[in-house]
Amino acid sequence: MPSAIRISVIIPCFNSADVIEDTLRSVFAQRFAAEEVLVYNDASSDETMTVLAACQTRWPGLKVFSDDLNRGAGYARRYLLKQATGSHVAFLDADDIWLPEKLEIQAQLIQRENVDLVVSAYRIVDRAGSFLGARKPKSNFGYRDMLMTNWIPMSTVLASRSLKGIAEMPLMRRRQDYAYWLMIFRRNPNLKLAVHPDPLMIYRRASGSLSSNMLENLRSNYQVFRQEEQFSAIASIMLLGLNMMFRVFRR
């Protein structure tokens, strides 16, 4: 077993009363136990805090932080990253689920291949649990590939805390995950990556207007290129066009 690896799990949470217990159950059911599980309740207005309190009784190792002001997932992740004490961090969104072997397989990959970052394929289901499909990243990719599209769903990651910028999650309300990974690849040009081809995570797709979400994501991607990566307006528009093309062909 990869005993030298100590994992801090990072979970931002907002109005997730109906899903957060299942998500946490998937964490505490891991075959390779995390050293700590950190949840940030981002001023939820539903019963999320009540559910989290019950979860703390069931799983005493669970650490919950809360705020009365909603600040967004970027702030929540940054806050938890600064509290983390493990050698590695694993991100999990409050409505996603890990398969029981997720951390074990990724920790073994990190030790065996001496890499800084592991990502995996994932399954997609609707809120009722019906299977919608599966996706997997390229077998290898770098900064330029990431400019075309975000190959890294947050909930598939196990990353070393030694990476430059690992605790500097952008505070954007949308697409802060994309900005984060672009920054990580840019600041760590020799980053060593491993991709596990089989699904280790289940992504629960929320209902809503796909076209509206796509438009908002494209607007946010432009902000990522223009403000976070500091490309010119023309270059940012060109990259946005490539993002759109890739999204169409990837469906």
Side-chain angles (χ1 to χ4, degrees):
M1 294 296 289
S3 58
I5 292 179
R6 298 173 293 105
I7 299 173
S8 299
V9 181
I10 305 296
I11 307 175
C13 186
F14 173 69
N15 285 354
S16 304
D18 59 334
V19 293
I20 187 60
E21 184 174 357
D22 286 343
T23 297
L24 288 171
R25 185 179 293 111
S26 78
V27 174
F28 287 99
Q30 290 295 298
R31 296 201 301 234
F32 179 71
E35 175 159 299
E36 58 185 2
V37 182
L38 311 175
V39 177
Y40 187 95
N41 175 37
D42 193 19
S44 296
S45 58
D46 65 357
E47 296 301 313
T48 293
M49 197 60 214
T50 301
V51 175
L52 287 173
C55 289
Q56 281 186 293
T57 300
R58 181 172 183 178
W59 298 297
L62 176 64
K63 300 177 183 178
V64 177
F65 304 86
S66 191
D67 199 340
D68 294 329
L69 178 64
N70 179 264
R71 302 174 187 270
Y75 179 91
R77 291 189 183 111
R78 177 182 283 198
Y79 182 91
L80 294 179
L81 283 165
K82 293 185 183 300
Q83 311 306 313
T85 62
S87 62
H88 291 74
V89 291
F91 298 93
L92 182 57
D93 288 347
D95 53 355
D96 292 338
I97 293 176
W98 284 343
L99 299 184
E101 64 272 23
K102 193 265 189 189
L103 294 182
E104 180 182 52
I105 288 174
Q106 292 187 324
Q108 289 173 344
L109 269 172
I110 282 177
Q111 280 206 327
R112 185 172 67 247
E113 301 188 18
N114 191 29
V115 295
D116 307 301
L117 177 69
V118 179
V119 297
S120 76
Y122 60 100
R123 300 173 189 161
I124 305 170
V125 302
D126 62 19
R127 287 291 181 168
S130 298
F131 180 75
L132 299 176
R135 286 183 178 170
K136 65 179 179 180
K138 295 175 63 174
S139 58
N140 191 31
F141 55 90
Y143 178 72
R144 291 186 177 181
D145 302 291
M146 288 290 292
L147 289 173
M148 302 301 103
T149 190
N150 182 10
W151 286 103
I152 309 180
M154 293 298 290
S155 297
T156 70
V157 168
L158 182 61
S160 171
R161 285 185 64 228
S162 66
L163 287 169
K164 294 178 182 177
I166 195 71
E168 299 173 23
M169 176 69 63
L171 301 180
M172 299 169 60
R173 283 282 179 166
R174 296 179 66 94
R175 306 299 281 169
Q176 79 283 147
D177 55 339
Y178 190 21
Y180 180 67
W181 294 119
L182 283 171
M183 178 268 292
I184 292 293
F185 274 83
R186 173 168 41 80
R187 293 187 61 180
N188 298 270
N190 297 317
L191 182 151
K192 297 177 181 178
L193 169 75
V195 176
H196 185 71
D198 298 325
L200 296 177
M201 182 271 285
I202 299 173
Y203 167 64
R204 289 188 277 201
R205 179 178 287 171
S207 59
S209 170
L210 183 61
S211 60
S212 175
N213 291 339
M214 184 184 299
L215 180 60
E216 288 300 319
N217 283 341
L218 289 172
R219 288 174 177 168
S220 298
N221 281 5
Y222 178 81
Q223 183 182 356
V224 169
F225 298 138
R226 188 77 177 97
Q227 298 180 13
E228 300 294 327
E229 292 302 298
Q230 298 186 348
F231 287 112
S232 68
I234 293 175
S236 297
I237 291 171
M238 292 176 63
L239 287 169
L240 197 61
L242 290 172
N243 266 202
M244 293 173 66
M245 289 176 58
F246 197 93
R247 182 180 288 266
V248 169
F249 287 115
R250 193 179 181 186
R251 287 190 182 285

